[in-house]
Amino acid sequence: MNRLENETTGVFNKKQIIIAVTLVILLTIFGSYLGYQKEMLSIQLFSGVLLGGALTRTRFGYAGGIKRIYVRGEGSLSKALLIMLLATMLIFMGVQWYAAQNGAVPAFSAVEGDAIIPGTQNVQFANLATVIGGVLFGMGMIFSGGCASGTLTDMGEGEGRAMFVFIFFILGSAPGEWARYTFDNTGLGKVGTQIYLPDYFGYFGALLISVLGLLFIYWLILKYEKKRKAEGMYVDPKGDWENFEKPVTDIKASETSLLSYKTYHRLFVERWTFNTGALVIAIICSFILLATGKAWRVTSAFSKLGVAILQPLGISFSSPAFTEIVEDVNKGLLLDGGTIRNLGIVFGSLVAFLLAGRFKLSLKLNKSDLPYFVVGGLLMGFGARFAKGCNAGAMYSAMSTFSISGWIFAVAMVLGGLISLKVFAGKMSLIPAKRKK
């Protein structure tokens, strides 16, 4: 049996559970090894595994936040993303405020020896590249069927599509790094802004302004849902879950003890609501900030992986755009925290799927979709590095650390996603046309 049966059967998939437990043991050993090399690496692996598991248990993704409301007219995932941002902002504000009171300064204004306010590494200079990169990334994630973190979790779930997209995501990252460095050194590239809201409004004021922004987006979602309901183009989110991931309702009373199938199902199989996932992910990302002093990022590690793959093939990375990247690659990718965390996301997702008895390699690809996957991966890779980040670093983490650049990237990313949905709806299997209930 390749999957756990639905809630009426109550059958364990022992084979996949054994594999999952074995993987957890191996990850623990690997984490201990990494800890001996560099203590922070074991934390990166641990946080990655947690993120992969949470993203998988919730079916949570940024691309879905745009696609669901456009195709179905309902914004349950979009609202959950706002909840995640709000929860993260509340925690980040406390961490940053405390650090500032103890003499820390934002990363962009720090000099050697200064303590840095955690997370301010994501306060980027926003210029035209931020906008263009955001649009390209948004278009790419719709073509690809997932964002940066979504591609990693889908790989862990055995999706051949994601593995294919990942290759081109990597290949697009290095050109994006070069293009952003080149653009920033032009006259046009110097036109922009770098605003850390607490510098202008204090930490409480920055939080208040950010919350007002989230409330405005929430109002827009409600208004759009109302419009789609009036048009008869709203799909109720009830009934989304497959039978096997719903709560168990008909197991006998004698089978509801702590060591029963029902308990196991609740812990490892039953799907989390979007709101539950939002809060769990916010907590994990806050842990990352507290443990590492930096907010969650994904695609900066992709550039390093791209260089590591292409450099032995004779491709030169002598441009100043790659100086730090090449240095990190030459030290070894297993010593790079971002790479280790991304690896953890893949394995965290894999373990979650195995524990649920759901893992199955799906390598069959729709040939007509392949060009979209290629273009989608390249657009995401290039766009993310041209914008200096993806949905995680340039949007979520930047917004949570009160950087204006995060809001600019978010608008651009949503715009790019909507362009793909509007222009290419129905032309590939991952972009369905809008439909009635």
Side-chain angles (χ1 to χ4, degrees):
M1 187 178 299
N2 290 324
R3 295 159 64 95
L4 279 170
E5 298 292 345
N6 65 28
E7 69 273 17
T8 62
T9 307
V11 176
F12 295 100
N13 188 319
K14 295 180 181 179
K15 182 178 179 180
Q16 292 205 11
I17 292 173
I18 292 171
I19 295 173
V21 172
T22 303
L23 266 178
V24 170
I25 293 172
L26 291 175
L27 285 169
T28 302
I29 296 171
F30 181 51
S32 298
Y33 164 78
L34 291 173
Y36 283 116
Q37 304 302 310
K38 189 177 178 183
E39 189 171 350
M40 190 63 69
L41 293 174
S42 56
I43 294 176
Q44 300 284 23
L45 180 66
F46 176 65
S47 61
V49 171
L50 292 179
L51 276 171
L55 289 165
T56 291
R57 285 294 298 277
T58 314
R59 317 308 301 144
F60 202 92
Y62 295 82
I66 300 173
K67 187 190 297 183
R68 283 178 70 98
I69 195 167
Y70 178 86
V71 175
R72 302 160 56 104
E74 64 90 7
S76 57
L77 179 52
S78 304
K79 294 172 189 173
L81 286 166
L82 297 181
I83 291 173
M84 183 175 73
L85 277 164
L86 175 60
T88 311
M89 286 173 178
L90 285 168
I91 299 172
F92 278 26
M93 182 195 73
V95 173
Q96 292 190 338
W97 201 345
Y98 177 81
Q101 291 299 309
N102 285 276
V105 298
F108 57 86
S109 62
V111 296
E112 188 175 352
D114 283 341
I116 294 175
I117 297 174
T120 52
Q121 299 89 342
N122 289 76
V123 182
Q124 299 286 353
F125 181 79
N127 56 18
L128 185 59
T130 307
V131 177
I132 295 174
V135 170
L136 294 177
F137 181 85
M139 293 179 67
M141 72 179 185
I142 297 300
F143 287 157
S144 303
C147 56
S149 54
T151 299
L152 293 173
T153 54
D154 286 349
M155 286 172 61
E157 293 167 12
E159 286 287 344
R161 166 192 55 79
M163 300 173 194
F164 188 79
V165 167
F166 182 70
I167 295 171
F168 293 94
F169 202 140
I170 295 299
L171 293 177
S173 296
E177 293 280 3
W178 176 84
R180 180 58 188 257
Y181 178 85
T182 302
F183 181 79
D184 282 351
N185 284 282
T186 65
L188 185 58
K190 299 183 186 306
V191 178
T193 185
Q194 186 172 33
I195 296 177
Y196 178 52
L197 289 175
D199 281 345
Y200 297 87
F201 305 101
Y203 285 92
F204 182 76
L207 177 65
L208 179 60
I209 291 170
S210 299
V211 170
L212 289 175
L214 296 181
L215 288 174
F216 176 69
I217 297 173
Y218 184 77
W219 173 78
L220 288 177
I221 293 171
L222 293 179
K223 188 175 181 179
Y224 185 71
E225 284 183 322
K226 184 177 180 180
K227 174 178 178 292
R228 292 289 293 269
K229 287 177 181 178
E231 296 171 345
M233 297 285 287
Y234 177 89
V235 180
D236 197 309
K238 293 179 180 178
D240 263 0
W241 296 6
E242 297 183 58
N243 281 337
F244 68 87
E245 60 185 4
K246 293 178 181 178
V248 171
T249 56
D250 57 358
I251 298 295
K252 297 177 183 178
S254 60
E255 298 175 1
T256 58
S257 68
L258 182 63
L259 300 179
S260 68
Y261 169 79
K262 184 174 183 178
T263 300
Y264 183 89
H265 182 93
R266 181 68 182 272
L267 291 175
F268 300 111
V269 183
E270 183 179 322
R271 180 170 162 178
W272 294 348
T273 66
F274 286 144
N275 290 343
T276 298
L279 293 175
V280 171
I281 293 168
I283 292 171
I284 296 171
C285 289
S286 299
F287 167 76
I288 291 172
L289 182 78
L290 288 166
T292 69
K294 297 180 180 179
W296 179 32
R297 293 180 176 180
V298 175
T299 58
S300 55
F302 286 7
S303 296
K304 297 172 186 177
L305 182 56
V307 170
I309 293 172
L310 297 174
Q311 202 170 221
L313 299 178
I315 298 177
S316 174
F317 292 95
S318 57
S319 167
F322 299 103
T323 300
E324 292 185 9
I325 294 174
V326 171
E327 288 178 357
D328 287 341
V329 169
N330 290 339
K331 291 175 184 175
L333 289 182
L334 287 182
L335 294 177
D336 178 64
T339 299
I340 293 299
R341 185 166 58 227
N342 287 345
L343 189 64
I345 290 174
V346 175
F347 279 103
S349 176
L350 172 59
V351 168
F353 248 41
L354 286 168
L355 288 173
R358 297 178 61 186
F359 183 78
K360 182 180 179 181
L361 274 175
S362 178
L363 300 178
K364 187 176 180 180
L365 299 174
N366 186 332
K367 292 182 180 179
S368 63
D369 286 345
L370 290 180
Y372 290 95
F373 296 156
V374 172
V375 173
L378 291 173
L379 285 176
M380 281 203 293
F382 184 90
R385 300 321 306 152
F386 196 50
K388 289 191 174 180
C390 61
N391 54 287
M395 191 196 79
Y396 170 53
S397 292
M399 291 173 71
S400 299
T401 51
F402 309 109
S403 172
I404 286 296
S405 65
W407 292 87
I408 294 172
F409 180 87
V411 172
M413 184 186 76
V414 171
L415 178 61
L418 292 177
I419 289 173
S420 288
L421 288 166
K422 185 71 175 177
V423 177
F424 297 95
K427 295 184 180 180
M428 63 176 295
S429 60
L430 293 176
I431 310 182
K434 286 191 284 188
R435 58 187 175 84
K436 292 187 178 182
K437 184 176 178 181

